């Protein structure tokens, strides 16, 4: 297998991303749906060549979001693939997989991408996701609100490999955040993002420089 290439095996059996440790940065595509603060953290990290990552493109499921402006400001190509522009969800899945593949990334980072990725994307690409809760607690689109509603006293964030379920893929790393009395969804989410950004930067960098292997639902970065 070429250095930097992805072995395209079904998730859960053996899946590996190998890194070219010689000279070339590892190319990734980042998917977003919103403000793109996690994306910005990755962009900032790539300023150091030793980080070993190049963001080849940023994809979104909607236009006009500030994350796309952040990508453009950094000179990174962008693309938008909207569900509503496709007849079926399956068509959208194929289109998104193809737009990602155009850039030949070693792997994909879902950083606040608020759509469930389809089988075609997951068959063709290894995808890491960042989630604002300590999975398996509080999966889904309202993780911060759900943690508050449940009265959790500790929550946090998780970087994991995406599988076919909703936030069910193998966990790579987590950081904790204390829930404070009087926290709102916004204040808590801001404190989560403060630990989420460095965690995502660390894990994406390690995956890019060292590679990732997923075997029988267990993930390892050497
Ligand atoms: C992050 O907290 C991410 O975990 C969640 O949505 C948020 C996106 O924030 N899914 P941003 O767009 O990176 O600012």
């Amino acid at each position: 297998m070429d250095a930097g290439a992805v072995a395209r095996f079904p998730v859960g059996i053996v899946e590996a991303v190998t890194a070219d440790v010689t000279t070339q940065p590892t190319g990734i595509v980042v998917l977003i749906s919103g403000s793109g603060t996690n994306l910005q953290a990755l962009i900032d990290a790539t300023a150091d060549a030793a980080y070993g990552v190049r963001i080849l493109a940023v994809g979104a499921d909607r236009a006009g979001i500030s994350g796309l402006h952040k990508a453009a400001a950094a000179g990174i190509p962008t693309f938008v693939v909207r569900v509503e522009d496709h007849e079926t969800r399956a068509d959208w899945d194929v289109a998104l997989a193809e737009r990602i593949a155009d850039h030949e990334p070693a792997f994909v980072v879902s950083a606040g991408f608020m759509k469930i990725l389809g089988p075609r994307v997951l068959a063709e690409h290894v995808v890491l996701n960042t989630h604002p809760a300590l999975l398996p607690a509080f999966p889904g689109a309202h993780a911060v609100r759900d943690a508050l509603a449940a009265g959790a006293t500790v929550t946090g964030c998780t970087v994991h490999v995406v599988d076919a379920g909703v936030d069910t893929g193998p966990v790579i790393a987590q950081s904790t955040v204390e829930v404070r009395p009087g926290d709102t969804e916004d204040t808590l989410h801001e404190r989560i993002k403060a630990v989420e950004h460095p965690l995502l930067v660390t894990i994406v960098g390690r995956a890019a420089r060292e590679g990732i292997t997923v075997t029988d639902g267990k993930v390892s970065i050497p």
Side-chain angles (χ1 to χ4, degrees), residues 135-161:
L135 294 172
F138 311 118
H142 305 292
V144 181
R145 188 186 310 170
D146 293 346
L148 270 178
T153 57
V154 175
T155 185
C157 60
T158 302
V159 178
H160 66 101
V161 177

Side-chain angles (χ1 to χ4, degrees), residues 186-209:
D186 284 347
T187 61
L188 181 55
H189 203 163
E190 280 312 305
R191 288 208 317 290
I192 291 172
K193 284 189 182 188
V195 299
E196 185 178 30
H197 296 164
L199 185 71
L200 183 65
V201 165
T202 297
I203 297 305
V204 168
R206 285 188 53 202
R209 294 187 304 272

Side-chain angles (χ1 to χ4, degrees), residues 65-145:
I65 53 176
S66 57
L68 287 174
H69 299 306
K70 289 179 170 77
I76 300 168
T78 63
F79 60 87
V80 175
V81 187
R82 302 184 334 149
V83 172
E84 48 271 48
D85 293 336
H86 298 83
E87 214 158 285
T88 65
R89 187 91 180 192
D91 291 342
W92 171 77
D93 174 33
V94 170
L96 181 60
E98 287 174 352
R99 294 304 301 275
I100 295 169
D102 287 344
H103 300 278
E104 300 184 9
F107 62 92
V108 175
V109 178
S110 162
F113 188 69
M114 300 307 285
K115 293 273 189 308
I116 305 298
L117 292 166
R120 182 72 171 262
V121 167
L122 297 181
E124 294 188 5
H125 304 284
V126 172
V127 185
L128 308 189
N129 181 53
T130 178
H131 180 79
L134 296 174
L135 294 172
F138 311 118
H142 305 292
V144 181
R145 188 186 310 170

Side-chain angles (χ1 to χ4, degrees), residues 51-73:
Y51 184 57
V53 176
R54 180 165 170 225
I55 303 175
L56 303 168
V58 172
D61 62 331
R62 62 199 74 183
I65 53 176
S66 57
L68 287 174
H69 299 306
K70 289 179 170 77

